[in-house]
Amino acid sequence: MYRNGFRGRGRGRGIGYSNGHTNGHGNTHGNGRGKFNGRGGRGRGFANPPLINEKNWRQYPAFRVRVKNLPGGFDTSDVYNVLKEFGNIARIDVFEDFDNPGIRQATVLFEPPPEKPIWDLNPHQIFFEAPDQGRLTRNIIVDKLGYNPPEKKALSDNREYPPFMHVRAERLEFGFMYQPNQMMSMYTVRDGLAHPVMFRINLHRKELGIYFSVRLTELRNKYEGEGGLRRYKFVIPFSRLDKMWVKTSQNGKYQFFVPTKSTPKLFKKRDTDTINTHVHGGTEWSEEINGWFRVTEIGTDRESMTQEPLSLKGHPAMIDVGRWTTYRITMDQSEAHTTNWVEIKRAMSNFNIQFVDCDELRVIPPMESCFWKLISQSQIRSGEDESRSLGLPSDTDRTYALPFPVRYQLEVCISQGFINEYNITPSFVKRLEELARENETRAVKTLEFVADKGERFFEPEDIFELSIPRSLWTRRIPPACVWQRSITITPTGIILNSPSVDVSNRIIRENSRDTDKFLRVRFTDEKIEGRLHGGDDDAMDPIFTRIYRCLRSGVTIGDRHYQYLAAGNSQFREHGAYFFASTLHKTAKQIQRRMGDFRGIDVPAKYAARVGQCFSTTYALTSTTVKFVEIADVERNGRKFTDGVGKISPFLARVIADERRLPNAPDDPPSVVQFRLGGSKGVLAVWPEAKKREVHIRPSQDKFPTQHDTQLEIVRLASFTRAQLNRQLINILTCLGVPDNVFIYKQDQQLNELERAVSDENLALELLQKRIDPNQSTLELAGIIRAGFMKHQEPFTMSMINLWRAWSVKYVKEKAQIDIDKGAFVLGCTDETQTLKGHTELTDSESSEYSHDIDHLPEIFLQISDVENPGRYRIIKDRVCILARNPSLHPGDIRIVRAVDNPRLHHLKNVIVFPQTGYRDLPSMCSGGDLDGDDFFISWDPQLIPEEWNHPPLQYDPPHPNTVDREVDLKDIHQFFVQFMKNDSIGRIATAHLANSDLEEGGARNPKCVELAQLHSTAVDFMKTGVPARMRKSLRPKKYPHFIVSKNRPESKIQHSFTALGRLHDRVEYERFSPSLHYPFDSRILNAFDDLSDAMLEKAQTIKNDYDESMRRIMAQHDIGTEVEVWTTFVLDHSKLVGDYKFHEEMGRLSGSLKDRFVDICCQEGCGGAKDFDSVARFVAAMYTVTATNVQNAMYRLKENFGVEVADPLLKVEPKDLPLMSFPWLFHRELGKIANGQRPRQKAASAEFVENDAGEQEEDGRRQLGFTTEQPQQNGYHHAVNGNGRVTPNGDDAEEDLIDLGDTPKKSTPKTSALRRDDLTDLDLSRKPTPRKVHGDENQPPVTNGVAKRNKNSSHGFEEQLATSGDEEDDNTKPLGPGTALSRLDMFAGDDDSSDDESSAGDSGYGEQTEEDEIVETDEHGLQNGDARGTGDIETDVERLRLDG
């Protein structure tokens, strides 16, 4: 007998194969243990019956066989090894033989069919090693199944198409558009017999794949040992294609051009060692999926290149796949007329992809770019003084010196495709150098404007003719903020971003003179793909190798070499870090040494977390220092009851409230502060024991020693947020016995209320004040409605209301977010009086005698803002509550507690006070929480109290951390950074838990789900221990419920769910949103003043241009569709670089920073620095007037351009080109007062009459930029209101305030000119603008009922408060200073390293996360400190605040 054996591959098993129908001899090698405990499904089903031609079976494109009687431990690799000699295996599925326990079967697809009829050679004998049994033999049977034609897919044209179609091409060319009608071809791939060029579409995944082969030695700069063909493919989603250009060449060849909107994913085929593509224990394997891996380049992989810093400049030995993103594909005419090609074009047209004839399109040969020679510098050395000029002259070529800010902004334009280096000429570089030498600021602003416009300049010198908006003059930013440069590293390129305003941190503040040397770096997938995700195999390893190269070798931009500095904890989770460009006087290593003393930490993960603590986004308390007092932790039974919580004096709490400009700061300071103080972190609760400037810190809060222990840094302040259910909470509550109909009723009620609220002002107010979002934007909108703007259908107000509804419905649909009125989502702290009753084991559900005994329940104290009576608090007492922390994956994560009143705790508001007594602390039983910044969900809604109370909590023992036997160094941090990116599996584990609990018997109690809950805890601790969570194959769902939506999941993997979550999902339909641009502006404001001067209107227009550009920059940076989403933070869609909850927090900071910045600018430049109503009212009216003018003219042009017959011309406009109208709403309180008849007591000085530093700075800036100081002769804004409340200029459209570089003001644009973005804002399209003033609404009595006065010290408080009364019979209410409870207390939301991991684990919904994100920033020109809003003298402040500290 002939036996052909092989050696098992390094996994402790050996398998031999014998064919009983041939004679001979052979040997079988293998050692170790076999695998028997196999798991699997029933194999793959096929809709179409198999085709079998007994004689001509080789005619089919593929052929499938079934393998029977396999050992129970066999996986796909074992099957592959048994059958690989018979042909090319394309797919393997292994599953259990349910008729024979312990036996497995497999289906194997050969493509093309096998070389011989293996089904005629039965039986096939195999050898394998079994544990404790040695070597065994078994006969397996191979049956033919035939060819299964793929099921056709029906598209929108009601035709059915094969899901996979391809055509063969003769040539593929990589290039880019050199001119609008010219493609420059940079590299050509030609067809080969063994490796053809192939154009293939996949209708299941809705993507185009282009396959090709490259011989590396054909590339420039040949390197020894790198010859041979390599097979590649890149994949383009249909959504990134809109047209293909088609032409027929003179030689009769058919050509089509594929221009892509962004870089596609690049893959390389595994040429050898296919066995390593199989996953250990895997039951599914596909050559198409597992046989390819992601790569970052096509070219050499030589070792020397991996040592170089990353830079925008490409390597000459590579195909620049990141930027050569236009492709020409050439095929023979015969191929172009095949049925396949005709069907491909017809199918793609269903996805709005057009094939356009373009005979005038030409292809030009490649040329060498002179750009890098003109300005590039020789070798970059770490620590070299970057201040010297760029481009030292060489002996042969003239080089040009560009200051770094100019060079950086030029690379921004190149990296984003607005200028191509192949279009850059020596003349352009010379002119740019001359402009920079004459006026560096002007050169930078010109390039910033190019980036902001987002348009390609095929002739770079055209940028010198641009009219630059005055909006780019100012660089003012709010206190605690900085200008920050940032870049994005993708698998195939580098994207530089224009500097943006970000919030600061301690390290930036300590190095304020070098803030422009900091660089924020984020690692992502290609732009359209968002976040990078690792896996269990090596398919992404080349990408992680590129990231490691960047961390180790740094990034070169211009003459600066940026090196890795550190990563804030939230940055770390979002795959970002800070880099620093060292100078002769300061290096990254010096900054690292000054952060703190990290000696003694031998766990790289923990070391990274402690360093990251220094980069938390914080606001520094500037008016006083603090005194550090150490107090002991409360520990019992091995548990810390005070983990992460300390004390702060009432005096310091009031100082914080005063600095943060909180309403009624002296009388109602925050109860709890999340903080950083040197190496300490956590929360501080107000307690009288802390005197004067004292903060009491416990050992559990002290993470590392440092010199910086006197300046308190504020992360966020305690505030009230509405309670919301989410998918994970609903999943656990149903498991504990809450009926499905409870959730369905509450969801239906919420959706009905949202629908009615759009037209019912009273209901809208009620919902907005009850259902407060984390950024508390709903309260701001409620204040606007109370001022009567909804009643008058003001356009921006109606836009916000409609967006709020669409945003709420979106998260109800996607995350099952259901608002709970009887609930809260707040921080936690501890009962320092030790009077609350703690947890005892008697109340666990296994102790049936006391499991439902209310008297034995642990107690909590909760006092929250009374949303029905603004200005008051309510104490929740004598109520049974459910307590949880997100995400909750185990039945024991939801605890039953009793809310009680405790007079000694009445000073604590908007926090849950946990007991210090009992057997075990409550926070640790809620998904392993603590008190260092975790938020907790609590509800006293009787309908949500489950049948089972206090299921025993999950017993979790954290793994032993990975350590080093020396001091941790930067190399360890770099390696852990990459390991974390690759192995961060929180999201996958949480999704697997949700799917298994929905589909498996027992739900969340199922053993699989319990194991996944434990595994999730391991994944959460990964950032501290360095031990990744490995999810076994058997824990991965075989199918997913339909409510877990994934764009790439095949239908065969989806199962319709009839559980509560499935039913909830099916009952919701998305709401479409677009700005309400058809409503008229509010004539109550337009007619309020008849004395708005030309100078004031011009100043308002100038600042509006600046505001609009800043708003558009945020929109472009995060792929946000409308300004309303940025302003409210109710973002419907974004770039997906972070989860939705994190992004909501990030937008809260960005939006808040933008608003604060421009409030200060408006007050300084338009109101002489004053902020009271009497001083700002007229300027606010001017802001509203110019906005209305811009909008009306833009909308009128829209109507003219698209014709009267177009019902909704906005449908023809890109979102980025819609008018912006949020500018005046920076002063929404003032707008409300004006609309309701309040007028200033005296006329405020116009901007033109104000003599102040701001005006001088502005004038200096205008001269610096070369701008004229003359005012335009006419603007006519104060005559611009017609009879319907719509504003127009006199005769002509309002011109955009543009200044060209030749100092010549632009003339007004005729109505027939092209539409401009700044003109678009919001008015009725039914009438042509006429210069007539409105009368009619001005006699309407002011609406004052329900609008209370706000504190005069808080001109920009967050919410108008009502001094109303009314108590619930079960609650205690007491008065509150206006606005405190319902105010946005946390402009800055920081990050905490203890539990933020869970937020990315489950649903990215509000109320599902545990802690806050961070955004850390720096400034090009240094920090602008101060603005403490106190007197600056702490003793005077004490007296003024009547404090007795």
Side-chain angles (χ1 to χ4, degrees):
M1 176 183 291
Y2 175 77
R3 295 177 179 174
N4 184 15
F6 61 91
R7 186 180 301 275
R9 59 182 179 96
R11 291 206 307 227
R13 69 173 184 272
I15 304 172
Y17 171 75
S18 169
N19 186 323
H21 292 267
T22 56
N23 294 324
H25 302 279
N27 295 310
T28 301
H29 303 278
N31 50 52
R33 296 182 304 169
K35 302 179 303 172
F36 277 90
N37 295 324
R39 299 176 178 88
R42 295 180 176 270
R44 292 171 56 84
F46 301 93
N48 296 325
L51 305 177
I52 302 178
N53 188 314
E54 298 291 345
K55 295 183 178 180
N56 297 320
W57 52 270
R58 289 187 177 89
Q59 68 178 344
Y60 299 118
F63 204 85
R64 192 178 304 272
V65 300
R66 176 184 284 118
V67 186
K68 298 179 179 179
N69 203 34
L70 293 170
F74 260 43
D75 62 10
T76 58
S77 64
D78 301 322
V79 178
Y80 181 87
N81 279 324
V82 168
L83 298 180
K84 65 181 180 180
E85 68 176 87
F86 293 104
N88 183 70
I89 298 176
R91 182 173 183 92
I92 301 173
D93 291 274
V94 179
F95 51 94
E96 302 292 343
D97 185 339
F98 290 98
D99 296 329
N100 299 287
I103 303 297
R104 284 189 166 188
Q105 297 186 16
T107 58
V108 180
L109 177 68
F110 287 88
E111 189 176 357
E115 298 175 0
K116 54 178 77 171
I118 49 180
W119 46 88
D120 290 340
L121 305 178
N122 286 320
H124 301 261
Q125 190 178 51
I126 61 172
F127 299 95
F128 59 97
E129 296 287 335
D132 302 326
Q133 299 183 54
R135 191 175 69 168
L136 302 176
T137 63
R138 175 168 293 183
N139 290 328
I140 63 172
I141 305 298
V142 179
D143 292 340
K144 59 180 179 294
L145 295 178
Y147 171 63
N148 292 84
E151 182 181 5
K152 291 190 175 183
K153 190 170 182 64
L155 299 181
S156 59
D157 61 358
N158 296 321
R159 294 172 58 93
E160 290 189 338
Y161 297 87
F164 309 101
M165 292 182 283
H166 72 272
V167 291
R168 185 165 177 166
E170 293 183 352
R171 189 166 63 243
L172 166 67
E173 295 169 71
F174 293 82
F176 57 89
M177 297 307 296
Y178 182 73
Q179 293 294 331
N181 63 344
Q182 292 181 358
M183 171 188 168
M184 182 179 289
S185 175
M186 301 300 294
Y187 186 81
T188 301
V189 176
R190 302 185 185 277
D191 185 32
L193 294 177
H195 301 280
V197 175
M198 189 168 66
F199 182 100
R200 183 176 188 263
I201 66 171
N202 183 333
L203 296 181
H204 286 315
R205 297 178 66 90
K206 301 177 184 178
E207 64 188 20
L208 161 66
I210 298 179
Y211 297 70
F212 58 98
S213 300
V214 173
R215 191 177 299 278
L216 297 184
T217 52
E218 292 179 357
L219 292 171
R220 293 164 289 181
N221 293 2
K222 304 179 180 64
Y223 295 98
E224 183 179 357
E226 294 188 345
L229 284 173
R230 298 292 184 269
R231 187 72 171 159
Y232 296 92
K233 71 173 179 179
F234 54 83
V235 176
I236 309 170
F238 287 165
S239 61
R240 306 307 295 176
L241 297 168
D242 54 15
K243 66 179 62 175
M244 295 188 186
W245 300 314
V246 180
K247 66 178 294 185
T248 302
S249 61
Q250 294 180 352
N251 60 4
K253 299 297 183 181
Y254 183 83
Q255 304 174 7
F256 59 96
F257 299 80
V258 184
T260 62
K261 298 179 181 178
S262 56
T263 305
K265 288 183 178 180
L266 179 67
F267 296 82
K268 181 179 177 182
K269 195 174 191 307
R270 301 178 187 271
D271 297 316
T272 58
D273 203 14
T274 302
I275 196 66
N276 285 330
T277 67
H278 295 259
V279 178
H280 178 66
T283 58
E284 296 179 2
W285 178 87
S286 168
E287 181 186 38
E288 180 65 23
I289 298 175
N290 304 99
W292 298 78
F293 62 97
R294 292 283 301 277
V295 291
T296 63
E297 60 193 32
I298 301 176
T300 176
D301 295 322
R302 62 193 178 106
E303 179 64 22
S304 60
M305 183 177 167
T306 63
Q307 307 296 323
E308 299 175 1
L310 294 183
S311 67
L312 186 61
K313 181 181 178 182
H315 195 280
M318 299 193 315
I319 299 175
D320 194 349
V321 292
R323 298 170 63 205
W324 300 347
T325 56
T326 299
Y327 314 101
R328 177 169 73 159
I329 299 173
T330 304
M331 65 175 66
D332 191 84
Q333 283 281 11
S334 59
E335 190 76 20
H337 289 91
T338 60
T339 303
N340 257 13
W341 178 242
V342 173
E343 289 288 279
I344 285 174
K345 291 197 297 181
R346 186 179 289 137
M348 294 182 73
S349 68
N350 283 269
F351 298 92
N352 201 30
I353 301 172
Q354 304 175 6
F355 287 79
V356 180
D357 291 332
C358 193
D359 292 334
E360 67 274 14
L361 187 62
R362 297 192 301 115
V363 177
I364 62 175
M367 65 176 69
E368 187 174 353
S369 170
C370 65
F371 170 71
W372 301 106
K373 290 183 178 180
L374 290 171
I375 66 169
S376 284
Q377 182 150 307
S378 57
Q379 180 180 3
I380 299 292
R381 295 186 298 275
S382 175
E384 187 175 21
D385 185 359
E386 78 299 337
S387 62
R388 60 192 179 87
S389 299
L390 283 167
L392 296 177
S394 67
D395 296 334
T396 57
D397 298 318
R398 165 75 192 278
T399 58
Y400 297 90
L402 296 178
F404 179 78
V406 179
R407 170 68 181 269
Y408 176 87
Q409 200 61 38
L410 179 58
E411 291 199 27
V412 169
C413 297
I414 293 173
S415 70
Q416 297 191 30
F418 307 134
I419 297 176
N420 192 293
E421 67 263 38
Y422 287 87
N423 293 118
I424 292 178
T425 62
S427 173
F428 169 81
V429 180
K430 181 180 179 181
R431 288 186 66 179
L432 186 61
E433 181 200 44
E434 292 172 349
L435 178 61
R437 189 183 301 118
E438 175 186 345
N439 192 324
E440 179 180 318
T441 302
R442 190 173 171 185
V444 172
K445 297 302 181 183
T446 299
L447 293 167
E448 282 187 6
F449 185 54
V450 170
D452 289 343
K453 284 178 69 67
E455 299 173 1
R456 171 74 184 274
F457 284 80
F458 290 98
E459 299 297 337
E461 292 193 57
D462 288 349
I463 72 170
F464 300 113
E465 309 303 322
L466 288 173
S467 296
I468 309 301
R470 295 179 185 177
S471 61
L472 294 178
W473 298 353
T474 178
R475 300 282 290 181
R476 290 192 182 93
I477 56 176
C481 293
V482 292
W483 285 104
Q484 178 68 68
R485 294 189 178 100
S486 64
I487 67 172
T488 301
I489 306 293
T490 69
T492 59
I494 298 178
I495 302 172
L496 285 75
N497 304 306
S498 296
S500 59
V501 178
D502 281 336
V503 186
S504 183
N505 60 70
R506 174 164 70 86
I507 303 304
I508 300 283
R509 288 190 290 268
E510 290 173 358
N511 297 276
S512 58
R513 294 185 179 181
D514 296 295
T515 51
D516 69 319
K517 307 298 191 303
F518 289 86
L519 180 74
R520 290 196 68 170
V521 179
R522 174 173 274 172
F523 302 97
T524 73
D525 209 327
E526 303 298 352
K527 185 175 180 182
I528 62 172
E529 301 296 333
R531 183 183 174 93
L532 272 170
H533 298 281
D536 296 330
D537 55 18
D538 60 352
M540 298 280 286
D541 280 5
I543 294 177
F544 294 121
T545 299
R546 172 178 167 86
I547 294 171
Y548 182 73
R549 169 190 168 189
C550 179
L551 295 170
R552 183 181 61 183
S553 303
V555 180
T556 297
I557 303 175
D559 60 350
R560 291 186 182 179
H561 180 210
Y562 289 93
Q563 297 172 297
Y564 175 85
L565 177 63
N569 294 313
S570 225
Q571 266 188 310
F572 208 101
R573 297 182 189 99
E574 303 302 338
H575 305 166
Y578 272 104
F579 281 52
F580 184 79
S582 298
T583 68
L584 293 175
H585 308 290
K586 184 174 292 185
T587 66
K589 289 184 179 180
Q590 290 173 339
I591 295 175
Q592 290 161 355
R593 285 196 294 267
R594 294 170 185 165
M595 292 180 192
D597 185 0
F598 305 103
R599 292 174 298 177
I601 301 178
D602 60 355
V603 180
K606 186 176 181 180
Y607 187 101
R610 295 295 174 254
V611 172
Q613 185 177 316
C614 303
F615 288 85
S616 297
T617 300
T618 56
Y619 162 78
L621 191 65
T622 58
S623 60
T624 183
T625 57
V626 300
K627 181 180 179 181
F628 183 104
V629 177
E630 185 173 349
I631 59 176
D633 272 304
V634 176
E635 298 186 57
R636 192 180 307 107
N637 302 320
R639 304 279 183 178
K640 284 188 175 70
F641 287 70
T642 55
D643 190 2
V645 62
K647 304 176 185 178
I648 189 172
S649 70
F651 165 73
L652 285 177
R654 289 169 181 145
V655 173
I656 292 169
D658 188 53
E659 285 202 14
R660 294 307 310 131
R661 296 181 286 178
L662 301 182
N664 202 31
D667 300 325
D668 192 36
S671 299
V672 171
V673 176
Q674 189 175 12
F675 80 105
R676 301 289 185 269
L677 180 63
S680 302
K681 62 187 283 285
V683 301
L684 300 171
V686 175
W687 286 96
E689 301 95 276
K691 305 296 183 182
K692 298 183 180 179
R693 296 182 296 109
E694 289 181 355
V695 292
H696 295 186
I697 305 296
R698 289 187 162 97
S700 61
Q701 299 177 281
D702 194 14
K703 304 302 181 181
F704 59 89
T706 180
Q707 301 295 321
H708 313 277
D709 57 359
T710 61
Q711 186 175 53
L712 187 66
E713 301 173 73
I714 308 304
V715 177
R716 62 170 176 157
L717 308 176
S719 62
F720 172 80
T721 302
R722 71 191 186 280
Q724 283 188 321
L725 295 174
N726 55 47
R727 293 191 299 192
Q728 292 159 335
L729 284 173
I730 292 173
N731 184 38
I732 300 300
L733 287 172
T734 55
C735 176
L736 294 175
V738 178
D740 293 0
N741 288 337
V742 169
F743 306 109
I744 293 173
Y745 170 77
K746 290 184 177 296
Q747 178 180 275
D748 289 348
Q749 184 182 39
Q750 179 173 336
L751 293 174
N752 291 334
E753 288 176 339
L754 286 170
E755 185 172 356
R756 289 189 290 117
V758 177
S759 56
D760 186 332
E761 182 177 330
N762 292 329
L763 179 58
L765 273 174
E766 178 186 348
L767 297 180
L768 288 166
Q769 293 178 114
K770 286 196 305 184
R771 299 170 182 175
I772 305 171
D773 67 295
N775 289 326
Q776 301 197 352
S777 299
T778 56
L779 295 177
E780 193 166 285
L781 180 53
I784 291 171
I785 292 175
R786 277 202 301 271
F789 291 109
M790 181 178 178
K791 177 181 179 181
H792 286 260
Q793 295 190 314
E794 199 282 331
F796 190 67
T797 302
M798 298 309 298
S799 297
M800 289 190 287
I801 293 171
N802 287 321
L803 173 62
W804 166 65
R805 178 193 177 191
W807 177 75
S808 300
V809 170
K810 167 186 167 69
Y811 285 101
V812 173
K813 173 77 170 178
E814 296 178 358
K815 307 297 181 183
Q817 285 187 356
I818 302 175
D819 292 327
I820 302 301
D821 294 335
K822 295 181 179 180
F825 187 68
V826 290
L827 284 167
C829 68
T830 186
D831 169 26
E832 302 286 1
T833 68
Q834 297 190 349
T835 55
L836 293 177
K837 184 189 304 180
H839 166 77
T840 67
E841 291 184 312
L842 293 175
T843 57
D844 285 345
S845 61
E846 293 180 347
S847 305
S848 57
E849 183 179 355
Y850 298 103
S851 62
H852 283 65
D853 188 341
I854 296 178
D855 292 333
H856 284 81
L857 288 176
E859 297 174 345
I860 58 96
F861 174 79
L862 179 64
Q863 181 180 199
I864 57 173
S865 303
D866 189 347
V867 295
E868 296 181 357
N869 298 287
R872 295 178 179 271
Y873 288 117
R874 55 188 300 213
I875 295 173
I876 309 303
K877 63 178 182 178
D878 298 328
R879 288 289 179 265
V880 175
C881 308
I882 59 171
L883 174 72
R885 175 178 167 272
N886 293 303
S888 295
L889 305 182
H890 184 266
D893 288 341
I894 293 182
R895 312 307 299 171
I896 307 299
V897 297
R898 182 186 180 192
V900 299
D901 187 14
N902 189 324
R904 298 178 65 182
L905 304 177
H906 281 187
H907 66 287
L908 296 173
K909 302 170 291 266
N910 288 328
V911 292
I912 299 177
V913 185
F914 291 100
Q916 281 188 11
T917 61
Y919 178 80
R920 178 176 174 179
D921 61 304
L922 282 175
S924 68
M925 292 188 281
C926 298
S927 307
D930 53 34
L931 296 176
D932 69 351
D934 289 4
D935 290 296
F936 294 86
F937 168 95
I938 187 166
S939 173
W940 51 98
D941 189 329
Q943 293 181 314
L944 297 180
I945 305 301
E947 292 180 2
E948 180 181 351
W949 289 12
N950 290 325
H951 186 93
L954 179 70
Q955 297 299 320
Y956 168 70
D957 295 321
H960 184 73
N962 288 333
T963 61
V964 295
D965 56 0
R966 49 176 169 75
E967 286 192 11
V968 175
D969 57 26
L970 268 182
K971 183 179 179 181
D972 298 320
I973 303 301
H974 297 161
Q975 290 175 346
F976 174 65
F977 192 105
V978 175
Q979 290 169 1
F980 179 81
M981 289 186 66
K982 179 177 180 179
N983 298 297
D984 182 16
S985 56
I986 289 181
R988 294 195 299 273
I989 293 172
T991 301
H993 179 278
L994 186 61
N996 280 318
S997 62
D998 192 82
L999 301 177
E1000 296 284 347
E1001 188 71 27
R1005 303 176 194 270
N1006 186 279
K1008 283 186 179 182
C1009 297
V1010 174
E1011 184 176 349
L1012 283 167
Q1014 293 174 323
L1015 201 61
H1016 187 274
S1017 297
T1018 302
V1020 169
D1021 287 340
F1022 184 17
M1023 266 203 67
K1024 301 176 188 176
T1025 64
V1027 179
R1030 307 287 187 187
M1031 184 166 57
R1032 294 186 292 108
K1033 185 76 174 180
S1034 60
L1035 296 177
R1036 297 176 184 174
K1038 306 215 173 19
K1039 291 193 174 184
Y1040 292 82
H1042 71 287
F1043 60 80
I1044 303 179
V1045 180
S1046 174
K1047 62 181 180 180
N1048 292 325
R1049 185 169 293 134
E1051 294 179 5
S1052 60
K1053 287 284 189 180
I1054 299 173
Q1055 179 172 316
H1056 196 91
S1057 171
F1058 296 96
T1059 62
L1061 290 175
R1063 296 167 65 190
L1064 291 170
H1065 179 83
D1066 292 340
R1067 297 173 71 87
V1068 185
E1069 297 295 334
Y1070 286 108
E1071 292 287 339
R1072 183 180 177 183
F1073 168 74
S1074 62
S1076 304
L1077 298 174
H1078 55 285
Y1079 291 108
F1081 277 75
D1082 197 328
S1083 60
R1084 297 179 299 165
I1085 301 173
L1086 297 177
N1087 294 333
F1089 301 96
D1090 57 3
D1091 58 350
L1092 302 181
S1093 68
D1094 288 356
M1096 180 178 290
L1097 292 164
E1098 284 294 332
K1099 176 60 68 176
Q1101 182 68 65
T1102 299
I1103 300 175
K1104 182 181 187 295
N1105 292 341
D1106 188 2
Y1107 172 85
D1108 288 353
E1109 289 297 331
S1110 298
M1111 174 65 77
R1112 291 190 188 281
R1113 185 175 292 184
I1114 293 176
M1115 292 165 60
Q1117 182 180 359
H1118 298 283
D1119 291 339
I1120 298 173
T1122 65
E1123 65 167 334
V1124 194
E1125 294 170 76
V1126 176
W1127 206 89
T1128 60
T1129 71
F1130 301 152
V1131 178
L1132 296 175
D1133 197 15
H1134 56 90
S1135 56
K1136 302 300 184 185
L1137 296 179
V1138 297
D1140 288 350
Y1141 181 79
K1142 284 294 178 191
F1143 190 74
H1144 188 72
E1145 288 185 338
E1146 184 172 332
M1147 284 311 303
R1149 289 189 292 277
L1150 289 177
S1151 180
S1153 175
L1154 177 73
K1155 294 173 185 177
D1156 289 348
R1157 173 189 170 197
F1158 278 94
V1159 163
D1160 288 341
I1161 290 174
C1162 290
C1163 293
Q1164 289 293 327
E1165 297 187 9
C1167 310
K1171 295 188 175 183
D1172 60 282
F1173 175 77
D1174 293 339
S1175 301
V1176 304
R1178 281 183 173 80
F1179 192 76
V1180 170
M1183 294 166 63
Y1184 194 82
T1185 300
V1186 298
T1187 299
T1189 302
N1190 293 166
V1191 171
Q1192 183 183 18
N1193 292 313
M1195 295 301 294
Y1196 182 75
R1197 270 194 295 272
L1198 272 177
K1199 182 180 178 181
E1200 284 194 334
N1201 290 343
F1202 294 112
V1204 179
E1205 71 280 359
V1206 179
D1208 188 0
L1210 295 178
L1211 297 177
K1212 304 287 186 179
V1213 183
E1214 290 291 327
K1216 66 182 179 64
D1217 293 326
L1218 289 175
L1220 299 189
M1221 53 181 174
S1222 61
F1223 173 56
W1225 294 93
L1226 296 169
F1227 295 87
H1228 63 90
R1229 293 181 178 282
E1230 287 72 13
L1231 286 173
K1233 291 182 177 181
I1234 296 170
N1236 287 285
Q1238 186 171 340
R1239 297 292 181 267
R1241 286 170 292 186
Q1242 59 183 6
K1243 182 177 179 179
S1246 322
E1248 61 180 323
F1249 302 117
V1250 176
E1251 295 290 341
N1252 55 40
D1253 293 340
E1256 294 173 5
Q1257 291 172 7
E1258 177 211 341
E1259 206 56 48
D1260 290 342
R1262 292 170 69 175
R1263 295 190 191 99
Q1264 190 179 34
L1265 291 170
F1267 294 145
T1268 178
T1269 59
E1270 296 180 1
Q1271 294 287 347
Q1273 294 180 356
Q1274 177 184 2
N1275 59 55
Y1277 283 112
H1278 62 296
H1279 300 296
V1281 186
N1282 66 19
N1284 296 289
R1286 292 181 264 287
V1287 187
T1288 63
N1290 284 344
D1292 294 325
D1293 295 336
E1295 68 178 50
E1296 182 183 6
D1297 197 2
L1298 300 176
I1299 300 296
D1300 64 23
L1301 298 178
D1303 295 344
T1304 304
K1306 285 282 184 181
K1307 295 183 179 181
S1308 60
T1309 306
K1311 294 179 182 178
T1312 56
S1313 66
L1315 190 63
R1316 292 171 300 174
R1317 295 186 309 189
D1318 291 322
D1319 290 330
L1320 298 174
T1321 312
D1322 198 355
L1323 282 187
D1324 194 343
L1325 303 181
S1326 60
R1327 298 174 179 82
K1328 185 174 181 178
T1330 55
R1332 193 163 62 87
K1333 190 172 180 179
V1334 158
H1335 302 281
D1337 286 346
E1338 56 190 5
N1339 296 323
Q1340 178 179 338
V1343 180
T1344 57
N1345 184 28
V1347 181
K1349 296 181 179 179
R1350 73 195 134 116
N1351 189 293
K1352 65 180 181 180
N1353 294 324
S1354 176
S1355 60
H1356 305 293
F1358 198 86
E1359 175 56 29
E1360 299 281 4
Q1361 299 304 318
L1362 296 176
T1364 58
S1365 61
D1367 301 332
E1368 288 193 12
E1369 58 183 1
D1370 61 318
D1371 298 321
N1372 291 341
T1373 61
K1374 60 181 187 178
L1376 159 72
T1380 302
L1382 299 180
S1383 297
R1384 183 182 60 190
L1385 305 184
D1386 53 341
M1387 169 186 167
F1388 306 106
D1391 77 82
D1392 195 292
D1393 59 17
S1394 64
S1395 57
D1396 198 57
D1397 299 87
E1398 298 107 31
S1399 48
S1400 58
D1403 296 342
S1404 298
Y1406 308 103
E1408 299 190 30
Q1409 316 307 319
T1410 57
E1411 291 194 289
E1412 58 290 346
D1413 194 7
E1414 81 175 338
I1415 291 190
V1416 193
E1417 354 272 337
T1418 185
D1419 183 330
E1420 179 177 345
H1421 304 294
L1423 276 173
Q1424 301 186 19
N1425 296 318
D1427 197 22
R1429 298 296 181 267
T1431 66
D1433 182 87
I1434 190 61
E1435 294 182 1
T1436 305
D1437 285 342
V1438 171
E1439 179 64 26
R1440 179 173 63 82
L1441 297 173
R1442 301 185 304 279
L1443 304 177
D1444 56 359

